Amino acid sequence: MPYTARLIDDAAKERFDQFMARHAKGHVLQTWGWGELKSKTGWKPWRLALEDRGEIVAAISILERKIPVVGIPIFYASRGPVLDWADHELFDALLLEIKKLAKKRGAIFLKIDPDIPSADQDLEDYLKSRGFRSAETGKGFEGVQPKYVFRLDISPDEETLMAQMHQKTRYNVKLATKKGVVIRVGTKEDLPAFYRVLKETTERDKFLVRAYSYFEDMYDELHAAGMAELFIAEYEGQIIAGTLALIIGEKAWYLYGASSNSHRNVMPNYLIQWEMIRWAKAKGCTLYDFRGVPGHLTEDNPLYGLYRFKKGFNGEYTEFIGEWDLVYRPVVYFLWNTLEPVYSDLVKGVIGKLRRRNKG
């Protein structure tokens, strides 16, 4: 079947996002607004769609970035593309159009990390048959986007969802309420306080955080489009926790969480998650994604507490199919794979030294 390929411009952005919201595999990281956000951090977004009789049937938001020193671009489609993955004819047509764009831009490869469970052997076989190769790194949460997540079906009523929680989780939700923790929807004026608490969290748990401007840009781009919400937890008039959630169609994602070193005993993190779930339900969502957890960890792992916290809400532990690269320039790709880990470790080492020096 012949399809019409189209690069989506600003005039068609609403139609593009409407497709993302309606589609079963639509994802907020594939929306127009997410591309605009990433454009402020050095990426160039390309939105490509295939149409059948004027209706979008497949789409992909590709982020292009030039690698340091040599200036050759790579393509990355976070949680994309969005289409019926079982329709190989449609997928082939989309891959052909992506290849044309890649040739025009001189891209080394296309990286995808689709929202598809690892048990889908048919998709894995298809990807391999089209030249994709696994690009697993085993670092952090196993990729640019987490490979392992907890996802909760929130279509049951609130009473059922509460009853299905782990007993300790349910207790902590109720304890926070009893202690007087108040959860409210935040505004842009709350962002500085949220970021201050986020910095406390990153210093306590020893992980990197983006600059404040990134969160400000995220709020401006996605909140205005109805795809992001800030939540604030207060106790005795003090902001002690905050979260950022993303939403599109019938799906919501817990993206960032922050908690102060003060008053952790009143369990604000449990109540704020519950209120986010209630908010997502009220918006018509049926799926709530707690986002990343480490894979295959044991109780002695320092990140086990994060796993246990998310598991307590009774979500389904899900392993995605992971990262896959479709290579257009094999020689340059080999050099990229060899040098990128060295560069990445070097940058992280420099950042770590600067932070230790600033603290000193």
Side-chain angles (χ1 to χ4, degrees):
M1 179 186 296
Y3 299 102
T4 303
R6 188 185 309 280
L7 280 173
I8 301 296
D9 58 16
D10 189 74
K13 64 181 181 181
E14 290 185 9
R15 194 161 71 93
F16 184 80
D17 280 350
Q18 286 168 2
F19 171 78
M20 293 296 167
R22 290 193 311 267
H23 200 282
K25 286 299 173 185
H27 202 287
V28 72
L29 302 189
Q30 281 286 291
T31 60
W32 180 275
W34 187 261
E36 291 301 289
L37 170 66
K38 303 308 284 187
S39 73
K40 301 178 190 301
T41 63
W43 295 91
K44 179 178 179 60
W46 298 94
R47 294 89 168 186
L48 178 64
L50 292 186
E51 297 178 346
D52 179 17
R53 292 183 287 272
E55 293 295 323
I56 297 177
V57 292
I60 184 169
S61 178
I62 299 170
L63 299 174
E64 175 191 318
R65 187 166 199 157
K66 292 181 179 179
I67 60 177
V69 184
V70 293
I72 305 174
I74 61 173
F75 278 3
Y76 173 46
S78 50
R79 293 299 190 234
V82 175
L83 76 168
D84 178 356
W85 289 86
D87 188 339
H88 293 173
E89 180 187 2
L90 178 60
F91 202 173
D92 285 346
L94 183 61
L95 289 177
L96 178 61
E97 296 302 326
I98 297 170
K99 185 176 182 180
K100 291 177 184 177
L101 181 62
K103 184 177 181 179
K104 181 179 179 181
R105 302 296 300 173
I108 304 169
F109 64 93
L110 166 71
K111 181 182 292 293
I112 64 172
D113 49 15
D115 182 350
I116 302 291
S118 61
D120 193 333
Q121 187 62 50
D122 289 342
L123 177 59
E124 183 171 330
D125 292 342
Y126 169 80
L127 291 175
K128 290 178 179 178
S129 74
R130 296 314 189 262
F132 280 91
R133 60 184 74 182
S134 176
E136 298 296 284
T137 64
K139 291 186 176 182
F141 283 10
E142 276 69 46
V144 182
Q145 297 300 325
K147 184 177 180 180
Y148 305 89
V149 302
F150 273 111
R151 300 198 293 184
L152 179 64
D153 175 7
I154 59 173
S155 55
D157 59 39
E158 290 182 14
E159 184 177 347
T160 301
L161 290 173
M162 181 71 77
Q164 290 175 344
M165 290 180 193
H166 186 278
Q167 184 273 334
K168 186 65 174 177
T169 300
R170 186 167 56 249
Y171 173 83
N172 285 337
V173 170
K174 294 179 178 178
L175 175 67
T177 303
K178 184 178 179 181
K179 291 288 186 179
V181 176
V182 175
I183 309 298
R184 62 177 175 83
V185 172
T187 66
K188 190 173 180 179
E189 284 67 39
D190 291 308
L191 274 178
F194 166 76
Y195 190 73
R196 184 174 62 249
V197 177
L198 183 61
K199 291 279 285 184
E200 278 189 56
T201 306
T202 60
E203 290 169 6
R204 180 180 66 239
D205 297 338
K206 297 180 173 60
F207 62 90
L208 300 177
V209 64
R210 292 180 179 274
Y212 174 75
S213 59
Y214 180 78
F215 294 90
E216 193 171 38
D217 290 339
M218 181 184 295
Y219 193 89
D220 289 343
E221 287 291 345
L222 300 180
H223 183 267
M227 291 189 287
E229 198 65 271
L230 174 67
F231 292 86
I232 297 295
E234 292 180 323
Y235 178 67
E236 296 181 345
Q238 178 183 348
I239 293 177
I240 59 170
T243 54
L244 267 170
L246 301 181
I247 184 171
I248 187 172
E250 297 181 352
K251 296 180 281 289
W253 295 264
Y254 162 46
L255 189 63
Y256 284 100
S259 60
S260 172
N261 295 327
S262 305
H263 306 297
R264 298 181 73 189
N265 60 311
V266 297
M267 303 298 171
N269 295 339
Y270 288 87
L271 184 58
I272 205 169
Q273 285 294 332
W274 173 238
E275 291 301 325
M276 289 165 72
I277 291 169
R278 295 183 66 229
W279 162 80
K281 276 186 67 65
K283 291 286 187 178
C285 292
T286 58
L287 180 71
Y288 183 88
D289 192 322
F290 289 88
R291 291 269 292 173
V293 290
H296 312 301
L297 78 172
T298 56
E299 292 190 18
D300 58 350
N301 189 300
L303 293 171
Y304 187 78
L306 174 68
Y307 171 89
R308 185 176 56 210
F309 170 73
K310 294 183 179 182
K311 179 180 172 62
F313 288 88
N314 195 45
E316 179 183 359
Y317 183 65
T318 304
E319 177 182 356
F320 291 136
I321 201 167
E323 293 182 3
W324 293 79
D325 290 352
L326 182 59
V327 180
Y328 304 116
R329 303 176 66 178
V331 174
V332 187
Y333 180 78
F334 171 78
L335 293 173
W336 159 262
N337 267 353
T338 304
L339 298 176
E340 190 278 334
V342 177
Y343 173 80
S344 179
D345 290 343
L346 177 63
V347 170
K348 289 178 181 177
V350 170
I351 292 174
K353 286 181 181 179
L354 289 173
R355 288 188 168 183
R356 288 191 292 272
R357 184 179 300 170
N358 289 338
K359 285 184 178 180

